[in-house]
Amino acid sequence: MALVLGFGLALAPATETQAFGAPESFADLADQISPSVVNITTSALIAGPADGMPMVPEGSPFEDFFDDFNNRGGNGPQRSEALGSGFVISEDGFIVTNNHVIEGADEITIEFFSGKKLPAKLIGTDPKTDIAVLKVEAGEPLPFVTFGNSDLMRVGDWVMAMGNPLGQGFSVSAGIVSARGRELSGSYDDYLQTDAAINRGNSGGPLFNMDGQVIGVNTAILSPTGGSIGIGFSMASNVVTKVVDQLKQFGETRRGWLGVRIQDVTPDVAEAMGLAEAAGALVTEVPEGPARDAGIASGDVITRFDGQPVGDAGDLTRRVADAPIGEAVPVIVQRDGRTETLAVTLGRREEAEASTLPASTPAPEAPREMETLGLTLAPLDADMRDRLGLDASTEGLMILNVDAASEAFTKGLREGDLITEAGQQKVVRLQDLEDMIAQAKAEGRQSILLLVRRGGDPRFVALSIN
């Protein structure tokens, strides 16, 4: 199934909401919010034929229209137009939409429900959440909508979407919240899923609760055809509002940076580490940065951040991003069966994006090998380091082969991966791994935790030993 991008949502002050039965009509709500929803047309000069135009399913009654529209201008440089949606969030003309709606445009035109059109200025964008903020000068106060608290939305609650589907102008659709906490591909994803009809052109438009507050920005659909099949995604307003506030204030985002690489604590990893529950964020690597300065180490499980529980790796990523830069925050970790509280002064993520090491290539065969856990292993030697571009100080056991029928293969281990720890202890020799497996069995463990590196990216993998 294809994931087709294009739609939107936003937030308002947190208010208590109640469950309501199906309304007899959405007309009053549509009348209330329509003046604040806008159509967005963008224009850009491109070198060849337009290829970013609105698309419709084959056989659609609009197919001929869009084919004619796309083919204007011959093969020379021409203007490409794209359509999307947005909504006004302040009477002085700030407008929220998707980044992909306006990306690359040199002209942005806003059309209001009244038919009035105004040019818009780009204030700032955030590709990581696909949010953009625009500004128009209307010369008069504009009707606007506020953000609601997306955390209060429950699966089954009524919602209403409004936007500019397939370039047909202002259109309303209604449905329910189908799921919460959906992740698509971004580090900060927190999408509401809805069955309210969302199509191309709805991108950047608002998803409303029944109080007329924006609780999401319509951003994407899941569809094999390019049209709505009732699986749409709106970025939750509690993510959007923080981004919008920073874009309005700074013209860019300013996210906190902890300086760790992390993964989820799965049940098998929890068992291998002797943890009571599969929760928190497991630290796989601590490069130079705030976390290392504060004493966080590989193998720590971060269970609380700034006073709030950490459910998984994505939860921690979002909490760190929202935390203040340059201020110390308490971080609670589990380490070697005990709990420690550390104070971490966060940096700014945009200034400290971690670099990656060269990708691994298959390692050559070595004379000393061992087969265990479905793996053929050999100690890392100078020739392997040269082939992989590794530092001379790098140590571990290289995977020469993985049995395709093994648990190791199922969990993603591959030839060329490097095992640097077993049972949270360094392994350099084959005997080191054998000793750690024997120790785990003696302690009654069902699995052993391996720290595996691929192209500089570490992750923990738990493999059964019985």
Side-chain angles (χ1 to χ4, degrees):
M1 300 177 73
L3 183 65
V4 183
L5 293 179
F7 327 85
L9 101 69
L11 324 159
T15 58
E16 294 297 327
T17 61
Q18 299 178 350
F20 296 97
E24 293 184 1
S25 171
F26 291 92
D28 289 341
L29 180 58
D31 286 342
Q32 172 190 336
I33 56 92
S34 292
S36 303
V37 180
V38 299
N39 294 340
I40 298 177
T41 302
T42 64
S43 178
L45 187 64
I46 61 175
D51 59 3
M53 306 307 298
M55 297 173 62
V56 297
E58 186 176 354
S60 165
F62 303 109
E63 186 175 13
D64 291 341
F65 168 78
F66 282 120
D67 285 344
D68 291 343
F69 189 78
N70 290 344
N71 291 329
R72 292 176 188 169
N75 296 321
Q78 59 188 270
R79 285 216 159 262
S80 170
E81 290 190 349
L83 308 173
S85 306
F87 53 98
V88 183
I89 59 169
S90 64
E91 66 177 13
D92 58 346
F94 282 99
I95 293 170
V96 173
T97 186
N98 279 145
N99 172 64
H100 75 261
V101 169
I102 53 80
E103 189 172 19
D106 52 34
E107 293 180 6
I108 305 173
T109 301
I110 305 299
E111 180 185 3
F112 295 86
F113 190 72
S114 64
K116 183 177 181 179
K117 295 183 179 180
L118 291 173
K121 174 185 177 182
L122 178 62
I123 299 300
T125 68
D126 178 34
K128 293 183 184 295
T129 56
D130 200 10
I131 295 299
V133 174
L134 312 175
K135 182 74 162 55
V136 296
E137 300 297 335
E140 60 183 355
L142 293 174
F144 63 95
V145 288
T146 58
F147 289 106
N149 187 344
S150 55
D151 287 347
L152 298 179
M153 300 303 295
R154 300 176 301 167
V155 173
D157 280 346
W158 283 100
V159 289
M160 188 173 77
M162 188 169 185
N164 181 22
L166 301 176
Q168 295 306 294
F170 294 90
S171 179
V172 170
S173 61
I176 61 170
V177 175
S178 304
R180 291 174 43 89
R182 293 298 200 203
E183 297 180 3
L184 300 182
S185 60
S187 300
Y188 308 104
D189 285 1
D190 183 11
Y191 286 99
L192 298 176
Q193 180 184 326
T194 180
D195 65 352
I198 295 175
N199 288 283
R200 293 178 183 270
N202 279 108
S203 296
L207 188 73
F208 291 99
N209 62 20
M210 292 299 96
D211 293 326
Q213 298 170 329
V214 180
I215 46 81
V217 175
N218 301 320
T219 301
I221 61 174
L222 191 64
S223 172
T225 64
S228 173
I229 60 170
I231 305 178
F233 301 96
S234 296
M235 181 63 78
S237 59
N238 285 0
V239 174
V240 176
T241 49
K242 298 180 179 70
V243 172
V244 168
D245 288 345
Q246 291 189 350
L247 294 181
K248 287 175 62 179
Q249 183 176 357
F250 307 114
E252 60 185 0
T253 56
R254 298 188 176 183
R255 294 187 170 96
W257 177 60
L258 183 58
V260 292
R261 293 184 179 179
I262 54 177
Q263 69 180 66
D264 291 340
V265 179
T266 58
D268 55 352
V269 168
E271 193 280 333
M273 297 183 69
L275 302 176
E277 60 177 343
L282 175 57
V283 178
T284 62
E285 187 176 34
V286 189
E288 185 174 347
R292 178 185 288 186
D293 294 342
I296 293 177
S298 174
D300 287 349
V301 177
I302 299 175
T303 57
R304 296 184 72 87
F305 179 86
D306 200 14
Q308 299 297 317
V310 174
D312 55 27
D315 189 18
L316 177 63
T317 299
R318 289 186 289 269
R319 292 191 186 283
V320 171
D322 294 340
I325 298 169
E327 298 182 17
V329 296
V331 178
I332 297 179
V333 303
Q334 287 191 15
R335 177 186 299 171
D336 299 330
R338 66 183 188 276
T339 297
E340 294 191 18
T341 301
L342 305 170
V344 182
T345 301
L346 300 180
R348 183 182 172 195
R349 185 176 183 87
E350 289 82 358
E351 297 176 349
E353 294 288 348
S355 60
T356 59
L357 296 177
S360 299
T361 57
E365 292 194 11
R368 296 171 299 145
E369 299 179 5
M370 177 178 73
E371 293 186 6
T372 184
L373 307 177
L375 304 170
T376 302
L377 303 167
L380 188 65
D381 60 23
D383 184 50
M384 294 177 185
R385 292 189 186 93
D386 289 342
R387 289 174 179 269
L388 299 176
L390 298 176
D391 186 86
S393 62
T394 304
E395 297 179 319
L397 302 179
M398 181 62 65
I399 298 177
L400 304 180
N401 188 56
V402 185
D403 184 349
S406 68
E407 178 190 19
F409 188 90
T410 301
K411 291 190 174 179
L413 298 189
R414 295 293 185 268
E415 177 184 351
D417 289 349
L418 182 67
I419 299 174
T420 58
E421 291 184 11
Q424 296 183 271
Q425 299 294 323
K426 286 183 62 176
V427 290
V428 178
R429 306 170 302 152
L430 296 174
Q431 187 63 46
D432 295 337
L433 178 58
E434 288 184 314
D435 292 345
M436 293 310 302
I437 292 175
Q439 179 179 329
K441 288 181 177 179
E443 294 173 352
R445 301 272 187 221
Q446 300 299 312
S447 57
I448 188 167
L449 195 67
L450 305 179
L451 180 58
V452 182
R453 296 178 180 273
R454 177 183 300 167
D457 293 325
R459 67 184 179 107
F460 284 101
V461 177
L463 295 183
S464 300
I465 54 178
N466 294 321

